[in-house]
Amino acid sequence: MSAHAAYVTAAYALSAAGIAALIGWVWLDYRGRKRDLAMLVAAGIRRRSERARDGTA
Amino acid sequence: MSETGVPARNLALLGNPTRFLALAGTLVPLLAGATVIVGVVGLFLAFTAPEDYQQGITVRIMYIHVPFAWLSMFCYTLMAVSALGTLVWRHPLADVALKAAAPIGAVFTALALVTGSVWGKPMWGTWWVWDARLTSVFVLFLMYLGLIALTRAFDDPSRSARAAAVMTLVGFINIPIIKFSVEWWNTLHQPASVLRMGGPTIDPSMLWPLLVMAAAMTLLFLTLHVAAMRTEVLRRRVSVLQRMAARQAEHAAGRAAR
């Protein structure tokens, strides 16, 4: 591999790593908040609008 | 209703977080699929495009560096529009859009700086120079970091929304500085060769792969932004429910003590 090819490879590899980390963070953050919400709902904590809709206000 | 009233009403309808969550659930997979398809085509075109007669193979770095740089400015512009949404129209999702975009913009700006540096070493003989273009983009990166810190400084997002919107709008002055820095000052960085008066100066054999890669990166940005906005709406909902749970526990403890 030529010296210049190494620069191209490094640029693409660093970009792929950065994008993968960003996608991973966005996905894990979403899963975490969804889990938090599910736990609160399972504990019976619901917003007023949801309680009113279900007739449990 | 007038024709101009229809988009305004649609925007207002999107202000309902539940409606936005439903829309995001449909949009995210569609945008992600489009990102993969356009990205694969873009990478194929980038690696089959001819080498530059002067820069040789290193010109392939352009196909990621330039889209990252464009999106770093596009993301900040979107945040500035969101800031107006917070301050002028008080749209409920405007602050959500601003907060969700900041980390994505920071990563895209960091990647523009890193790929530019890796391209600069073989072409300029140096990793970095403090010229107007590089410095103004570095300032943009620092502004993203500042906004990330500010939007996460308080538990109650409404306390930071106004300050973040004002800071974003003040910082928007940096966007035209970045764009025109290569014309206003003597820089090592080359002048604009695509978005310029008189049309692009790049040969179509390199311009098309660049435009397709830019489209792929834009789709990636939109996918991540809608997904991050969805998470932010959930985070705020969790925060409200946690406060309700704390209040209920407090009342229950008070009744038990009596």
Side-chain angles (χ1 to χ4, degrees), chain A residues 2 8 23 25 29-30 47 49-51:
Chain A
S2 73
V8 176
I23 292 170
W25 172 73
D29 195 22
Y30 173 63
R47 292 180 306 152
S49 59
E50 284 169 347
R51 289 202 304 266

Side-chain angles (χ1 to χ4, degrees), chain B residues 50-64:
Chain B
E51 292 179 12
D52 185 70
Y53 81 105
Q54 279 183 319
Q55 301 191 41
I57 194 175
T58 60
V59 76
R60 301 210 195 288
I61 298 174
M62 172 182 74
Y63 301 119
I64 46 174

Side-chain angles (χ1 to χ4, degrees), chain B residues 25 29 45 58 67 99 107 201 241:
Chain B
L45 293 174
T58 60
K99 186 181 175 186
V107 171
T201 55
L241 292 183

